[in-house]
Amino acid sequence: MGFFNRFFKKIEDVNKGEATVSELESEFYLESSAEEAKNLWVEIAQNIIVNTVKATDNSVERAFVLVNMAEQPSFDIFYQIDGSLVMWHNLKDPNMKEKIENELLPQASDVASAVNGEFVQAGHPQIAFAELQFEWATGAWFSHIIWEDDDHAMLAKEEILSKWFNTLSEEIKTTPLDSDSKLSWYP
C-alpha cells in the first residue's frame, strides 16, 4: 500500500475513533521502490485470480494460473472442478472459454510490462514466472514467484506447467477443499 493510501486510511481510522492521533506518526515512512513494485504485483495477482474465477461464474473449486513474464508473456489457466483438474480450453461452457480467451489471456503482455517495468526501475530482478492458486471454499489465494536470477527461471514454460499440473492432479485427491493452505509449487 502506497504512502498516501496508508496515511489516508490511518486518518480515517483516527476519525472513526479506531486509532489515536499519535498513531499517525507511524505512517510517515516511504516504501522503497522495490516494495512498491512488490505491492503492485500483489494487487495485480489478486486481480488475475479474481478475473480467472469470475470467468467461470464462480463455479470452480480451485483456480490455478501460471503467469509467464519472460519474452512471450502468457497466462496458463486451469481449474479444479468436481475433484479433477481441467485446462481452461477444456471447459464445457463455451461462454467461459470465450471470456478467458478474449478478455483474460490478452492481458498477459500488459501485466508483464507493468510489473517488470516497476522492478526494473527499482533495480530489482524481474519476475520470470509466477504461480497463483485460489481456493473457493476459504477464499485463500497464494503466489509463488520465480525471479529471473533464480536457476529455475531457465526452465521451459511447458515443463513448469506440465509438472505443476501433474503434481497438483495427485495432491488435490487428498487435500480438502477448505484446507486454507497452499498446494505444491513446481519447481
Side-chain angles (χ1 to χ4, degrees):
M1 182 182 298
F3 170 76
F4 289 110
N5 287 340
R6 275 194 333 270
F7 187 68
F8 291 130
K9 168 117 177 61
K10 186 59 77 171
I11 289 173
E12 235 177 73
D13 291 345
V14 169
N15 289 338
K16 292 178 187 173
E18 297 171 359
T20 64
V21 173
S22 62
E23 290 179 62
L24 281 175
E25 186 177 318
S26 68
E27 298 304 324
F28 283 112
Y29 68 91
L30 295 175
E31 293 179 331
S32 72
S33 53
E35 288 171 327
E36 288 180 9
K38 287 177 183 176
N39 288 338
L40 174 67
W41 164 245
V42 168
E43 186 178 314
I44 289 175
Q46 287 174 329
N47 285 333
I48 293 169
I49 285 292
V50 166
N51 290 329
T52 298
V53 174
K54 275 185 179 179
T56 66
D57 298 325
N58 303 322
S59 65
V60 297
E61 297 161 349
R62 290 187 172 108
F64 304 93
V65 184
L66 174 61
V67 181
N68 176 4
M69 292 205 211
E71 291 177 26
Q72 296 178 324
S74 62
F75 297 150
D76 288 278
I77 301 167
F78 54 100
Y79 300 97
Q80 181 178 339
I81 301 173
D82 297 327
S84 297
L85 292 184
V86 179
M87 294 300 292
W88 74 268
H89 50 81
N90 292 327
L91 293 171
K92 293 178 183 171
D93 187 325
N95 292 326
M96 291 178 187
K97 292 193 290 191
E98 186 178 323
K99 281 183 196 173
I100 294 168
E101 185 172 20
N102 296 328
E103 297 173 22
L104 206 56
L105 299 183
Q107 297 177 23
S109 291
D110 292 338
V111 165
S113 177
V115 171
N116 278 337
E118 290 294 315
F119 283 116
V120 167
Q121 286 182 358
H124 189 281
Q126 296 178 56
I127 297 174
F129 297 98
E131 295 166 312
L132 307 175
Q133 300 179 18
F134 175 78
E135 182 179 84
W136 180 256
T138 62
W141 77 278
F142 306 95
S143 170
H144 172 68
I145 296 173
I146 302 170
W147 299 101
E148 70 177 346
D149 60 352
D150 185 298
D151 291 340
H152 297 119
M154 295 299 130
L155 293 173
K157 177 188 84 160
E158 293 74 20
E159 176 184 345
I160 294 172
L161 181 61
S162 68
K163 291 197 177 182
W164 189 35
F165 186 94
N166 292 339
T167 299
L168 291 173
S169 292
E170 291 303 313
E171 194 168 337
I172 64 170
K173 293 176 184 176
T174 58
T175 306
L177 291 173
D178 60 353
S179 67
D180 201 22
S181 59
K182 70 179 179 338
L183 300 174
S184 294
W185 305 113
Y186 182 83

